[in-house]
């Protein structure tokens, strides 16, 4: 595998991409609004790839559980830590007649999970513990366990895969990121701050906003529009682009001349200082931006240690979940203040994007244009489009519908 | 060390000048409450809150750092929440400035559902 030297002396695995060589691209708008395309993406991508849905701090003790909805797949996943300290995922569905098992709360601790319909109860390892009058079914208990969902953990981040037989292990899927994600604050975090939003936008269109810097000057003039663009690099274009598998990474520039506002200097300064005191200094990995396929991106940064999950709800609706991970409990009032500030500041930046993403979706839905253009530094937008396209076409071929995607990908439709 | 007062607005003695802000609801209970104060109150009130608190931020945090952060007495706990509200207000005043008019709409889209400061003590 090729490696590229990062500016601080470490090596970033992946295949480097020269934006000038990659060049500008133009693609059809169909995949950003068509319902048929979205339904194919659900089958080809969201039911088959690893999705980042939870964190180990949410299930610290035996019996701790969270319920996570994968809306586009209509799946409710129950993630629970067993007596044996193993974290497992199951379909949150009673095996008697299909009732949602845990429906009264999204998280908690339970010694056993009991279906409210007919009282079937399940152990934390998914096995059927008991069912009233079970002899009348003529079934074996062993055949009535909760349906498992593949689960694995990397760097404290919990992933699930809805494919009953995933094509790749999580390590294979993440590739070099398997060794890099443990540098993220999530790997050692004992807790996190979180904000969520729903937005009228196709998931790729939402994601695209967060994988190019071309818009920063216009949409974030006061927050990050200038702090990330050093002299001679007005648009804050990344210094380095690379891909590995369907994933992308880039090294974000900084403007050394930028002077933060007083409270920002205090807040971010304290967050960074605390991280260093706690031994979570990231060193050369700081400011590496990982765009993970299909559903999340993250920054290896001490100041904004976030993971931003982008999960589709429908072809034009998406839910975003942003979590900032913290190593250790708040040690002092100053640290508590700094973490609240870092969350609020990160939320400010992300919230600046909402209205323009929705405006973009509206324009595409109008069908005034049949194509969108990406300049060479927007290459990750095209790369994501292409990775999704390849998976949809591959899946359609397997279904004997190889030509079905053509209409969505052609200009003039 | 805590202020002895029956008032729900009482703050430690050195910070008593900020008590009217507590009485006016600026010591938001949760991070989401605190984030809404910045956009729900008038721009003039937000600016006045910032002007009143900014000079006391460093002394307040230095004072609060003397206590275990998860076991703050009531007056100190109110002071903590007032300073946490300031984290949100500082973004409005120091960073967004004239563009805060846009953020008054935009930040509402993003609901804070969890914050380390809001967790009950272990």
């Amino acid at each position: 595998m090729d490696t590229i030297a990062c500016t601080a002396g470490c090596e970033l695995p992946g295949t480097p991409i020269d934006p000038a060589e990659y060049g500008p691209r133009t693609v059809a708008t169909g995949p950003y609004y068509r319902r048929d395309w979205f339904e194919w993406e659900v089958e080809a991508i969201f039911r088959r790839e690893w999705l980042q849905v939870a964190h180990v701090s949410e299930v610290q003790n035996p019996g701790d559980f969270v319920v996570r909805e994968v809306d586009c797949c209509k799946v409710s996943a129950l993630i629970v830590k067993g007596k044996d300290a193993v974290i497992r995922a199951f379909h949150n569905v009673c095996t008697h007649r299909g009732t949602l098992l845990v429906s009264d709360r999204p998280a908690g601790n339970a010694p056993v999970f009991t279906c409210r319909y007919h009282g079937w109860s399940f152990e934390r390892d998914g096995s059927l513990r008991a069912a009233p009058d079970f002899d009348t079914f003529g079934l074996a208990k062993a055949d009535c366990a909760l349906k498992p969902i593949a689960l694995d953990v990397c760097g404290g981040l919990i992933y699930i895969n809805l494919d009953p037989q995933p094509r790749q292990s999580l390590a294979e899927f993440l590739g070099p990121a398997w060794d890099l994600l443990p540098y993220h604050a999530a790997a050692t975090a004992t807790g996190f701050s979180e904000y969520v939003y729903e937005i009228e936008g196709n998931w790729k269109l939402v994601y695209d906003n967060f994988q190019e810097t071309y818009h920063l000057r216009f949409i974030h003039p006061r927050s990050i529009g200038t702090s990330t663009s050093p002299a001679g690099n007005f648009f804050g274009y990344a210094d380095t682009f690379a891909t590995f598998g369907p994933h992308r990474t880039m090294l974000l520039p900084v403007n050394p001349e930028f002077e933060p506002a007083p409270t920002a200097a205090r807040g971010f300064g304290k967050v960074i200082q605390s991280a260093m005191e706690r031994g979570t200094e990231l060193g050369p990995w700081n400011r590496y931006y990982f765009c993970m396929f299909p559903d999340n991106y993250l920054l290896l940064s001490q100041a904004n240690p976030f993971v931003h999950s982008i999960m589709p709800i429908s072809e034009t609706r998406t839910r975003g979940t942003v979590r900032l991970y913290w190593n250790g409990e708040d040690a002092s009032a100053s640290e508590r203040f700094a973490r609240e500030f870092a969350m609020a500041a990160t939320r400010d930046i992300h919230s600046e994007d909402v209205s323009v993403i929705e405006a973009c979706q509206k324009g595409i839905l109008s069908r005034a244009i049949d194509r969108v253009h990406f300049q060479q530094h927007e290459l990750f937008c095209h790369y994501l489009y292409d990775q999704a396209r390849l998976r949809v076409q591959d899946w359609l071929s397997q279904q004997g519908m190889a030509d079905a995607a053509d209409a969505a990908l052609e200009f003039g439709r | 060390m805590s202020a002895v007062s029956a008032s729900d607005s009482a703050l430690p003695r050195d910070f008593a000048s900020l008590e009217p802000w507590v009485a006016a609801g600026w010591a938001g209970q949760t991070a989401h409450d605190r984030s809404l104060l910045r956009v729900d109150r008038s721009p003039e009130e937000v600016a006045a809150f910032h002007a009143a608190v900014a000079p006391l931020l460093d002394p307040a945090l230095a004072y609060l750092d003397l206590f275990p952060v998860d076991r703050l007495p009531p007056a100190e706990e109110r002071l903590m929440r007032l300073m946490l509200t300031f984290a949100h207000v500082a973004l409005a005043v120091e960073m967004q400035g004239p563009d805060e008019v846009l953020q008054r709409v935009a930040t509402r889209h993003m609901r804070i559902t969890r914050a380390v400061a809001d967790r009950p003590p272990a």
Side-chain angles (χ1 to χ4, degrees):
Chain A
M1 177 168 285
D2 298 311
T3 58
I4 46 180
C6 89
T7 51
C10 61
E11 288 193 332
L12 181 74
T15 306
I17 299 187
D18 178 350
E21 268 180 42
Y22 196 86
R25 305 287 175 108
T26 295
V27 299
T29 54
Y32 293 113
Y33 71 88
R34 289 177 60 125
R35 180 166 298 173
D36 55 2
W37 185 272
F38 177 72
E39 287 169 355
W40 298 331
E41 284 180 333
V42 170
E43 297 301 327
I45 299 168
F46 291 94
R47 285 190 181 277
R48 305 184 102 192
E49 304 286 12
W50 290 92
L51 308 173
Q52 204 281 300
V53 296
H55 183 254
V56 291
S57 67
E58 295 178 274
V59 283
Q60 284 179 352
N61 304 307
D64 284 355
F65 71 88
V66 293
V67 176
R68 285 289 131 80
E69 311 296 333
V70 185
D71 297 87
C72 64
C73 300
K74 299 182 172 60
V75 164
S76 178
L78 174 63
I79 297 166
V80 57
K81 187 171 232 177
K83 266 192 304 204
D84 53 5
V86 175
I87 302 171
R88 298 178 178 83
F90 305 99
H91 285 276
N92 180 28
V93 171
C94 178
T95 53
H96 171 213
R97 279 166 51 188
T99 310
L100 283 184
L101 186 58
V102 180
S103 55
D104 60 337
R105 51 195 174 139
N109 182 282
V112 64
F113 299 99
T114 303
C115 180
R116 66 193 173 103
Y117 206 168
H118 305 92
W120 282 38
S121 61
F122 298 87
E123 303 283 5
R124 292 168 290 193
D125 66 0
S127 59
L128 179 63
R129 173 192 264 192
D133 219 6
F134 187 67
D135 293 345
T136 58
F137 285 95
L139 292 169
K141 271 190 183 173
D143 295 331
C144 298
L146 295 178
K147 298 299 177 191
I149 295 173
L151 178 149
D152 205 348
V153 179
C154 180
L157 300 170
I158 296 175
Y159 294 75
I160 60 172
N161 190 316
L162 299 176
D163 191 335
Q165 292 175 309
R167 291 169 296 169
Q168 292 176 298
S169 68
L170 180 62
E172 291 166 341
F173 175 70
L174 293 178
W178 177 264
D179 294 322
L180 294 174
L181 289 181
Y183 284 93
H184 193 273
T188 49
T190 53
F192 54 86
S193 304
E194 178 189 83
Y195 49 90
V196 298
Y197 63 95
E198 287 192 14
I199 184 169
E200 281 299 310
N202 179 271
W203 67 278
K204 299 185 298 301
L205 197 142
V206 175
Y207 201 136
D208 284 352
N209 177 79
F210 300 109
Q211 56 179 348
E212 51 92 352
T213 64
Y214 186 31
H215 75 284
L216 298 183
R217 282 273 179 174
F218 309 105
I219 300 301
H220 310 285
R222 295 178 185 277
S223 54
I224 49 168
T226 56
S227 64
T228 56
S229 49
N233 185 359
F234 185 79
F235 295 108
Y237 294 140
D239 301 323
T240 298
F241 296 92
T243 61
F244 47 101
H247 317 294
R248 297 81 69 198
T249 187
M250 57 181 164
L251 175 60
L252 294 180
V254 289
N255 176 6
E257 308 295 318
F258 178 76
E259 286 191 21
T263 307
R266 182 188 175 105
F268 283 131
K270 176 70 179 175
V271 164
I272 292 168
Q273 180 200 340
S274 293
M276 291 171 71
E277 286 170 2
R278 292 169 186 275
T280 51
E281 190 178 0
L282 295 166
W285 299 112
N286 200 6
R287 302 203 65 75
Y288 266 98
Y289 201 76
F290 284 87
C291 300
M292 306 303 296
F293 187 81
D295 66 322
N296 72 91
Y297 72 95
L298 51 95
L299 186 60
L300 290 189
S301 155
Q302 295 152 324
N304 310 85
F306 69 76
V307 178
H308 188 160
S309 153
I310 296 166
M311 285 290 286
I313 296 171
S314 75
E315 65 274 21
T316 56
R317 193 155 182 86
T318 297
R319 177 177 302 113
T321 304
V322 180
R323 291 175 161 194
L324 286 91
Y325 288 98
W326 306 116
N327 181 1
E329 304 302 303
D330 295 348
S332 65
S334 287
E335 187 167 71
R336 176 159 292 178
F337 175 84
R339 287 173 171 183
E340 180 112 346
F341 179 82
M343 169 185 61
T346 309
R347 172 175 172 267
D348 244 49
I349 297 162
H350 288 142
S351 65
E352 286 169 344
D353 294 306
V354 171
S355 72
V356 78
I357 294 170
E358 292 190 331
C360 188
Q361 186 69 52
K362 278 187 179 170
I364 284 178
L365 278 169
S366 78
R367 302 196 209 175
I369 57 170
D370 66 348
R371 65 198 71 189
V372 295
H373 308 290
F374 300 124
Q375 56 115 310
Q376 64 185 40
H377 288 97
E378 295 175 294
L379 76 170
F380 284 179
C381 305
H382 177 261
Y383 197 82
L384 173 61
Y385 183 98
D386 232 30
Q387 290 296 317
R389 175 184 64 77
L390 288 168
R391 280 161 179 73
V392 165
Q393 290 179 320
D394 184 44
W395 183 81
L396 286 171
S397 292
Q398 292 169 24
Q399 312 305 311
M401 303 190 291
D403 301 332
D406 293 353
L409 295 168
E410 284 169 7
F411 297 142
R413 296 289 184 137
Chain B
M1 289 174 75
S2 61
V4 179
S5 168
S7 165
D8 289 342
S9 306
L11 291 173
R13 192 179 52 206
D14 289 352
F15 305 96
S17 66
L18 298 176
E19 285 177 0
W21 295 102
V22 180
W26 283 80
Q29 281 293 336
T30 68
H32 193 67
D33 295 343
R34 295 188 284 273
S35 76
L36 287 179
L37 283 160
R38 156 189 175 186
V39 295
D40 283 346
R41 303 299 176 98
S42 73
E44 294 75 21
E45 203 181 354
V46 170
F49 176 81
H50 183 272
V53 176
L56 292 171
L57 174 67
D58 284 348
L61 292 177
Y63 169 76
L64 291 170
D65 280 347
L66 301 173
F67 296 82
V69 69
D70 280 322
R71 294 193 298 280
L72 295 174
E76 281 72 14
E77 206 261 323
R78 279 190 284 275
L79 182 62
M80 180 81 246
R81 285 190 278 109
L82 203 61
M83 295 304 123
L84 292 176
T85 298
F86 182 79
H88 300 268
V89 168
L91 288 164
V93 175
E94 298 174 23
M95 189 178 77
Q96 296 293 356
D99 285 351
E100 177 67 2
V101 63
L102 302 171
Q103 290 303 94
R104 290 175 85 84
V105 177
T107 59
R108 290 179 199 278
H109 288 291
M110 300 208 165
R111 179 170 187 83
I112 300 172
T113 44
R114 189 155 163 160
V116 279
D118 297 342
R119 276 199 297 191

